[in-house]
Amino acid sequence: MKFSVVTLGCKVNQFESQAMAALLQERGHELVSQGPADAYIINTCTVTAESSRKSRQAVRRAMSENPFAVTAVCGCWSQISPGDAESLGADIVFGSSDRTGLVNALERAFSDRLRISRIDNPMERRVFEELPAGSGIGRTRAMLRVQDGCQNFCSYCIIPYVRGPVRSMPPEKAVSEAARLSREGYRELVITGIEISSYGTDLGGPDLTGLVESVCLAVPETRIRLGSLEPRTITLEFCERLSALKNLCPHFHLSLQSGSDSVLKRMGRKYGTEDFFSRLGLLRQYFPDCGVTTDLIVGFPGESEDEFEETLAFLSKCAFSSVHVFPYSKRPGTRAAAMESQLPRSVKKQRAARAAELALRLKENFLRSQTGKEMEILVEKSDGGFIFGFTGNYCEVRAKGIASRNELRRVRITGADGDFLKGEAF
Ligand code: SF4
C-alpha cells in the first residue's frame, strides 16, 4: 500500500504522524510524499478555528486526489467533530489517541474496504500511549515525546477537552529512548508533549526537572532542547540543577499569552506579570546567554485598548528573543467562548499586526546582542562555503565554513542580518 500522511498542528501531532508512518513502513508499506496514494492519513488540529478549517480542507484535498483511496482522519479536530469527518466521507475516523489502532484499522480498511469509526472519551484516558520515536528531520534533531494531555483548563483553550488528563512516559523509558535516538545519530533531542510542565504529576514524580536531568546525563554528547513551558516550572531548583548540565540548550519557550494581569485572570492563567518577570530574571541569572521565546494571544474577549498597551509594554520589558503572536480564536465549548465582549476580527487583526511589529524589533535587538559571541551550532546544511544551523539559544546562523551535516561546530558571530546571524566557523 502506498500511503501519504498530512499533519496539522503541534510538535506532538508531528511526532505521532512520524510514528504512524514508521509503523506502516515497518509493515512493508510505502510512504509517498506527493501524488496519488492508496491511503491517506490526515492528522488534524482544532486549536484555532483556522486549523479546523485547514483540517477539513486537507480531508477534501486527499479525497479529490484519489477518490478510490482509503481516507483516515485522526487528531484533535476529528476527536471533537467526528460527525463532520464522517460527513466529508472519511473511511476511518479516530480521535487524538490510539495511533497504533488507527494503523491497524487502515490496513483492515484497505484490504476489506471497511468504514471504521472509533472515538473515545478523552477524560477517561489514563495510560500514556508509547509510540516509536525517530525518523526526525534530516537526522539532526528528533522529538522525544514524554507527555500527553493537560488539566489546566485555560479559559480559551480546547486542548484539555480533546487530549484528556496528563499521562507521562515512565522516566526510565524516556532515558532509554533518548539513548537509542542518540545511538542512531541524532545530535539534538527536543523534549516535547502537550504540557510538559505537568510531567510526572500522574506518576508521583520525578517532575520535569528530574526527567531533564536524567536525560541530559544519559546522553552527554547530544543537545537537549525543551518544548513549551508553563512559567511555574521556572524555580530556583530548576535553575540550579539544570544550569549545571552542559548539553541543555539555553532556550526556554515560556508561554506568556498576555502582559495584562486582568486579561491573564480572565484567561485563567495561573500567574501574574510580576511573578512571570521574576521567574524570567531567575532564568537569565542562571542562563546568562539564554534565548527566551513566548506565545501571545491578542484580542481576548473584553481586552481593552489599555490592557493591550499594558501587554505591549510588558513584552518590551521582558525583551523576548522571539514572540509567536496569535489573534484570539473562539473555541466552542471553552469558557472564553461564552464570555461577553468578543472583539471584532478587525480589532484582533490590527492588534496582532502591532504586536508582531514589536516582536520583530525585539528579535532584531536580541540577534544584534549576539554579535561577537562564540557559540556552537548544529549544522543542518552545508552549501557553497557556508554552513547553516541553530545555536543552543535558538538563533539561526549562516556562517562561513565547511562542515558536515549533523556536526556540532563552533562559530564566531560577526553580526545580524534580518532573521538570522552571520558568522565564521573556527
Ligand atoms: S496549559 Fe492552557 S493553553 Fe496550554 S494546553 Fe493546557 S489548557 Fe491549553
Side-chain angles (χ1 to χ4, degrees):
M1 169 174 78
K2 281 186 178 175
F3 71 97
S4 168
V5 182
V6 179
T7 306
L8 294 109
C10 64
K11 283 198 176 70
V12 173
N13 249 18
Q14 289 161 28
F15 173 95
E16 291 168 349
S17 286
Q18 284 166 11
M20 290 189 278
L23 278 171
L24 283 163
Q25 288 170 304
E26 262 168 39
R27 297 178 187 185
H29 303 293
E30 183 193 346
L31 174 63
V32 291
S33 55
Q34 55 189 348
D38 306 317
Y40 294 82
I41 298 177
I42 297 106
N43 194 0
T44 63
C45 173
T46 195
V47 80
T48 64
E50 179 64 5
S51 55
S52 293
R53 186 188 65 75
K54 285 186 175 160
S55 296
R56 281 190 293 275
Q57 192 182 50
V59 176
R60 289 196 194 95
R61 197 176 295 132
M63 295 180 72
S64 64
E65 192 169 84
N66 180 0
F68 304 103
V70 175
T71 304
V73 182
C74 60
C76 297
W77 173 68
S78 53
Q79 177 72 54
I80 205 145
S81 319
D84 293 1
E86 283 159 4
S87 64
L88 286 175
D91 302 290
I92 298 172
V93 178
F94 270 48
S96 58
S97 71
D98 197 8
R99 303 321 195 149
T100 311
L102 180 121
V103 166
N104 298 341
L106 186 69
E107 286 188 306
R108 276 185 55 218
F110 181 69
S111 55
D112 310 340
R113 290 289 143 184
L114 295 174
R115 285 190 167 225
I116 304 168
S117 281
R118 195 178 304 155
I119 298 291
D120 69 336
N121 173 358
M123 298 308 166
E124 291 169 0
R125 295 177 192 168
R126 293 292 175 271
V127 179
F128 178 79
E129 183 181 5
E130 295 196 15
L131 292 165
S135 63
I137 306 154
R139 285 196 169 273
T140 57
R141 176 184 305 118
M143 289 178 268
L144 181 59
R145 169 182 154 275
V146 296
Q147 184 272 349
D148 199 346
C150 180
Q151 290 161 246
N152 293 333
F153 291 95
C154 302
S155 65
Y156 52 83
C157 187
I158 196 70
I159 295 169
Y161 304 93
V162 290
R163 283 273 170 179
V166 170
R167 289 98 67 205
S168 306
M169 176 188 263
E172 57 284 356
K173 178 73 187 172
V175 167
S176 68
E177 271 294 276
R180 180 180 68 79
L181 292 166
S182 184
R183 280 195 306 277
E184 282 186 15
Y186 294 101
R187 299 309 301 276
E188 181 173 306
L189 305 180
V190 184
I191 293 183
T192 192
I194 292 295
E195 207 270 282
I196 60 173
S197 293
S198 293
Y199 177 83
T201 51
D202 57 317
L203 303 175
D207 62 8
L208 183 67
T209 303
L211 176 78
V212 174
E213 199 172 50
S214 306
V215 169
C216 283
L217 293 172
V219 290
E221 303 310 313
T222 302
R223 297 201 306 191
I224 304 297
R225 192 177 295 281
L226 298 181
S228 184
L229 299 172
E230 290 299 302
R232 68 175 191 277
T233 313
I234 311 303
T235 60
L236 184 58
E237 187 189 357
F238 174 96
C239 292
E240 281 179 344
R241 284 170 66 181
L242 300 194
S243 59
L245 303 165
K246 294 284 165 281
N247 56 333
L248 179 72
C249 292
H251 165 221
F252 304 95
H253 189 80
L254 216 48
S255 205
L256 172 69
Q257 305 300 8
S258 176
S260 155
D261 286 326
S262 44
V263 175
L264 286 170
K265 207 161 183 347
R266 299 200 299 278
M267 285 178 163
R269 300 289 284 166
K270 300 177 177 59
Y271 53 86
T273 52
E274 199 181 317
D275 176 24
F276 186 97
F277 195 69
S278 74
R279 292 175 192 268
L280 183 61
L282 200 58
L283 264 184
R284 289 179 170 151
Q285 182 191 333
Y286 281 83
F287 303 89
D289 289 324
C290 70
V292 181
T293 55
T294 196
D295 295 325
L296 182 76
I297 294 175
V298 297
F300 186 78
E303 184 188 65
S304 65
E305 187 56 29
D306 287 351
E307 286 173 327
F308 180 61
E309 289 296 340
E310 281 174 12
T311 288
L312 294 181
F314 191 67
L315 285 183
S316 297
K317 182 179 172 189
C318 293
F320 292 108
S321 54
S322 180
V323 182
H324 301 163
V325 179
F326 303 92
Y328 168 72
S329 176
K330 189 175 170 180
R331 308 313 296 128
T334 62
R335 284 180 291 125
M339 287 180 187
E340 287 175 5
S341 319
Q342 301 282 331
L343 301 183
R345 186 191 291 268
S346 57
V347 172
K348 290 191 264 188
K349 217 168 156 211
Q350 184 237 31
R351 287 184 183 169
R354 287 166 63 193
E357 202 184 305
L358 172 58
L360 191 60
R361 285 206 302 280
L362 294 177
K363 183 170 185 173
E364 286 167 355
N365 292 348
F366 183 76
L367 290 179
R368 262 198 304 278
S369 73
Q370 305 303 296
T371 304
K373 289 186 180 173
E374 293 179 358
M375 293 197 272
E376 197 174 59
I377 66 168
L378 176 57
V379 178
E380 293 184 18
K381 198 172 84 172
S382 186
D383 183 21
F386 286 90
I387 55 176
F388 301 80
F390 282 83
T391 61
N393 66 2
Y394 212 50
C395 299
E396 194 167 3
V397 176
R398 177 172 167 273
K400 280 194 197 114
I402 308 290
S404 40
R405 184 171 358 115
N406 208 21
E407 192 185 324
L408 286 167
R409 193 65 193 272
R410 293 199 65 75
V411 297
R412 190 172 298 108
I413 305 301
T414 54
D417 185 357
D419 257 354
F420 57 81
L421 295 174
K422 297 181 292 187
E424 291 155 5
F426 63 90

